[in-house]
Amino acid sequence: MKLLGWVFLLVSLGVVGAGAYLYYAYPFLEVPSPFGPLPLYALLPGAYFLGLLMGGLWALALWLGGVGERRRLIREIRRLQGEVNALKRERIEEIPRIPDRDEA
């Protein structure tokens, strides 16, 4: 996990560094869009952080799905435990009585 954290830090710093390099070296580079020209130095970090946002939302959706599945399984386990307890109450096993011993 530490390695993943370091890789994430280095990639993020690389993207920010590339955006800063484009800003200082080529501030005039623009990409045409329907909303007007977009500067290239803003598109690279923007796309990176949009990808992080989408990945985070995907991870959140997976986590919420896992929480729901866990609750469903816990409900199923409790239901089955209730059935087992009901069967145990129905069929109480009698303790065999040995005729030559006193009941204690």
Side-chain angles (χ1 to χ4, degrees):
M1 200 62 176
K2 282 186 177 184
L3 178 65
L4 185 64
W6 279 106
V7 168
F8 173 70
L9 176 68
L10 291 175
V11 169
S12 297
L13 288 175
V15 168
V16 170
Y21 172 75
L22 287 172
Y23 177 73
Y24 288 114
Y26 305 106
F28 53 86
L29 291 179
E30 295 176 337
V31 176
S33 74
F35 309 108
L38 296 174
L40 189 61
Y41 61 83
L43 285 179
L44 178 65
Y48 178 73
F49 290 114
L50 181 64
L52 281 179
L53 177 67
M54 296 310 292
L57 290 175
W58 180 66
L60 181 65
L62 282 178
W63 178 74
L64 288 174
V67 168
E69 183 69 15
R70 178 180 177 263
R71 286 181 183 171
R72 187 187 67 76
L73 289 173
I74 287 174
R75 262 188 266 123
E76 180 72 14
I77 288 171
R78 286 185 183 151
R79 184 185 66 79
L80 291 174
Q81 284 175 341
E83 286 182 16
V84 167
N85 289 337
L87 287 173
K88 282 182 182 178
R89 276 185 259 125
E90 272 183 20
R91 299 179 185 196
I92 298 174
E93 294 182 19
E94 295 181 11
I95 301 172
R97 184 168 174 258
I98 301 174
D100 60 340
R101 293 195 184 170
D102 293 331
E103 292 182 24

